[in-house]
Amino acid sequence: MIKLINRLSITQKLTLSFLLVILVGSLLLSLPITHYANAPQTHYLDHLFNVISMVCVTGLSVFAVGDVYNGLGQVISMALMQIGGLGLVTLLAISSFAIRRRMNLKESNLLQSALGKDDSYRLKDYLFNVYKITFGIEAIAALILMIDFVPRFGWGHGIFNSIFLAISAFCNAGFDNLGGNSLKSFVVNPLVNLTIAFLIFAGGLGFAVWMDLFRALKKYLTDKPIRRRVFKKSLSIQSKLVLTTTAIVLLAGTLMTWYTEAGNPDTIGRYNIFQQILISFFQTVTMRTAGFATISYTATDSSTNVLYMIQMIMGGAPGGTAGGVKLVVVALLFLLFKAELQGQDHVIYHNRIIASKTIKQTLTILIFFFTVLISAYIILLDLEPNLDPTALLFEAVSAIATVGVSMDLTAKLSVSGRVVIMILMFIGRVGPITVLLSLMQKKSKSVRYASTELTLG
């Protein structure tokens, strides 16, 4: 078995690590010891679906976590979401470093791929910083949530619920243990909304960007003469691209949601302008692969749901806990379009030429992503003829983008329909390019062919 595993490629090992966690987690959460005594009757497939959703940090669920899983089950759920967000490979690696065991070259390459890091420089320090950022942000956010939750639920449940939500939100998992209404009871609660929104933003920003920001902040505090240009000089091209694209998506998404829903009394129409903006902002943030909801998406306008599906597909930044095609891919697609319109030979950002290999990978990810999504949607239409086609598309996009929002459809799916959604969640979390490479890993042949030109229109 060990020899067989050693023969697998890096991408295949990453895929296998997620499958292993899913198998163990589903077996644990299907045990009666993890359920309430009076919990509704469930089957292994129900727990498998939930565990895939947890490990793939999606949020779709066939039943509410707080209705079935007891304290032990919810602790296991938190562990699965944390492992899903950070990856089993990073957990094993930090354990090895903790016991002072040196990693060989193959293990280093595997860890580097799991972290989404371009090089192996100071890999150990990078990994420890990832965990420091994760646990630090989760701890601070949990303490803030306790301000509201402890008076509301009491000390025990207030602290536990705060920790559960902090882990789930930072990992962009979208699960809560408050019942079947997600965060609808907190629709205009600024403390809960803004704290959860920050956690989602933090997890989806990417660890490399956070480390860039911390380095820039440190330089800003120590090098007074260059404070005005420190962030411009210190941030990498990728960090600038991620932060700029994130700001545009959040601002545009908030304004467009407010515009399409302001007159809808079933969503935000009955609230004042400040509450409307808060609700619109939260939905825009959560659509970047988080899965929490403060309004019902069965009540939102059709145009709003189309907007949400576009946001889900965009996702968050690479190297974080978010899903989707990733914002860098979206930004590069726009830059490619801009370069073609301007007649440029290269894609340029901040006076830097984007490598052609990166552009090819961008197009490959998009083609594979939409091929899987459209194929799965067609299958769902065939398997679920009695369900709303728009709601099915919303569910499929939510699954492959690892968002976890739903038009109240998940529990209505047949067994076959749930299997399709589970496959989409898995592909979405492991990553389209990782899945594609794990299935088609072959050595490329260095053969040069004659070039030709084609007419496109």
Side-chain angles (χ1 to χ4, degrees):
M1 179 62 74
I2 295 177
K3 290 183 179 180
L4 179 62
I5 294 174
N6 288 334
R7 288 170 58 185
L8 297 176
S9 66
I10 288 176
T11 52
Q12 288 169 340
K13 287 178 181 177
L14 286 175
T15 304
L16 182 62
S17 71
F18 279 98
L19 288 172
L20 179 62
V21 175
I22 288 168
L23 175 62
V24 174
S26 62
L27 291 174
L28 288 174
L29 285 184
S30 63
L31 296 175
I33 194 175
T34 61
H35 305 167
Y36 287 117
N38 59 345
Q41 185 178 2
T42 54
H43 304 282
Y44 174 74
L45 186 64
D46 299 328
H47 302 290
L48 178 63
F49 186 99
N50 276 16
V51 168
I52 290 177
S53 189
M54 290 173 188
V55 175
C56 297
V57 289
T58 304
L60 292 174
S61 177
V62 293
F63 55 77
V65 168
D67 292 342
V68 174
Y69 300 134
N70 58 21
L72 176 60
Q74 291 180 31
V75 168
I76 293 173
S77 298
M78 284 191 284
L80 290 172
M81 289 186 288
Q82 195 76 84
I83 293 172
L86 295 173
L88 178 63
V89 171
T90 68
L91 184 64
L92 295 175
I94 203 165
S95 300
S96 296
F97 287 136
I99 60 176
R100 302 183 183 278
R101 187 180 76 83
R102 294 179 63 86
M103 300 182 72
N104 59 39
L105 183 59
K106 285 185 178 180
E107 291 171 335
S108 295
N109 289 337
L110 179 61
L111 176 59
Q112 179 184 326
S113 181
L115 290 169
K117 198 172 185 294
D118 293 332
D119 54 63
S120 58
Y121 177 68
R122 300 187 69 177
L123 193 58
K124 178 180 177 181
D125 293 337
Y126 186 90
L127 177 62
F128 273 95
N129 285 333
V130 165
Y131 275 78
K132 287 177 184 176
I133 291 170
T134 299
F135 296 138
I137 292 176
E138 288 175 351
I140 293 171
L143 290 172
I144 296 173
L145 287 173
M146 287 177 199
I147 297 172
D148 182 280
F149 283 8
V150 168
R152 187 185 299 268
F153 300 111
W155 280 100
H157 287 291
I159 293 173
F160 186 83
N161 293 348
S162 299
I163 296 172
F164 189 100
L165 272 180
I167 292 174
S168 180
F170 182 82
C171 292
N172 283 206
F175 280 91
D176 66 84
N177 58 344
L178 305 176
N181 291 321
S182 190
L183 299 179
K184 293 173 186 175
S185 302
F186 302 91
V187 60
V188 290
N189 185 315
L191 185 143
V192 174
N193 274 255
L194 294 178
T195 304
I196 296 296
F198 172 74
L199 283 164
I200 297 167
F201 169 81
L205 197 60
F207 296 111
V209 177
W210 273 111
M211 290 177 198
D212 254 10
L213 288 172
F214 285 137
R215 279 194 294 267
L217 180 61
K218 184 178 180 181
K219 188 173 290 187
Y220 177 84
L221 295 174
T222 54
D223 297 339
K224 294 182 179 179
I226 60 171
R227 278 186 174 179
R228 289 185 179 180
R229 305 181 66 188
V230 65
F231 283 95
K232 184 177 180 180
K233 291 282 188 180
S234 300
L235 295 179
S236 67
I237 295 297
Q238 171 142 338
S239 295
K240 292 174 183 177
L241 186 62
V242 167
L243 291 169
T244 302
T245 309
T246 299
I248 293 171
V249 170
L250 290 179
L251 178 60
T254 300
L255 293 177
M256 291 177 73
T257 296
W258 175 78
Y259 175 78
T260 57
E261 291 298 318
N264 186 348
D266 294 326
T267 54
I268 70 174
R270 62 183 183 273
Y271 300 108
N272 63 48
I273 183 66
F274 299 106
Q275 292 171 331
Q276 288 179 357
I277 294 297
L278 176 66
I279 299 168
S280 300
F281 173 72
F282 186 86
Q283 309 317 310
T284 300
V285 173
T286 199
M287 288 300 163
R288 299 181 63 239
T289 82
F292 296 103
T294 57
I295 59 176
S296 173
Y297 301 117
T298 58
T300 47
D301 191 78
S302 297
S303 60
T304 308
N305 285 337
V306 171
L307 170 65
Y308 287 160
M309 283 189 273
I310 294 172
Q311 291 175 348
M312 286 190 271
I313 290 171
M314 289 182 178
T321 60
V325 297
K326 301 293 189 294
L327 288 178
V328 169
V329 169
V330 175
L332 288 179
L333 189 65
F334 172 78
L335 292 173
L336 176 61
F337 178 71
K338 178 183 174 184
E340 284 297 313
L341 288 181
Q342 295 177 345
Q344 297 175 341
D345 294 329
H346 302 284
V347 177
I348 300 171
Y349 181 71
H350 271 268
N351 299 321
R352 296 290 189 274
I353 295 175
I354 308 299
S356 59
K357 178 183 176 182
T358 304
I359 301 301
K360 290 177 183 178
Q361 286 180 338
T362 295
L363 297 176
T364 301
I365 289 171
L366 288 171
I367 292 170
F368 183 70
F369 183 94
F370 283 105
T371 299
V372 173
L373 174 60
I374 293 170
S375 301
Y377 179 53
I378 292 171
I379 293 172
L380 284 172
L381 288 173
D382 183 59
L383 294 174
E384 310 288 356
N386 298 321
L387 297 179
D388 179 21
T390 303
L392 277 174
L393 179 59
F394 196 88
E395 194 88 3
V397 173
S398 180
I400 195 170
T402 69
V403 179
V405 291
S406 175
M407 294 176 67
D408 299 334
L409 190 76
T410 311
K412 301 175 185 177
L413 292 170
S414 64
V415 172
S416 301
R418 292 182 188 182
V419 170
V420 174
I421 295 298
M422 285 190 280
I423 293 171
L424 285 175
M425 289 190 292
F426 183 79
I427 292 175
R429 177 62 186 101
V430 175
I433 196 69
T434 303
V435 173
L436 189 61
L437 289 174
S438 67
L439 294 175
M440 305 178 66
Q441 196 80 31
K442 290 184 180 180
K443 292 183 178 180
S444 60
K445 298 178 181 179
S446 56
V447 179
R448 295 181 64 87
Y449 297 98
S451 62
T452 187
E453 293 185 5
L454 299 173
T455 301
L456 299 179

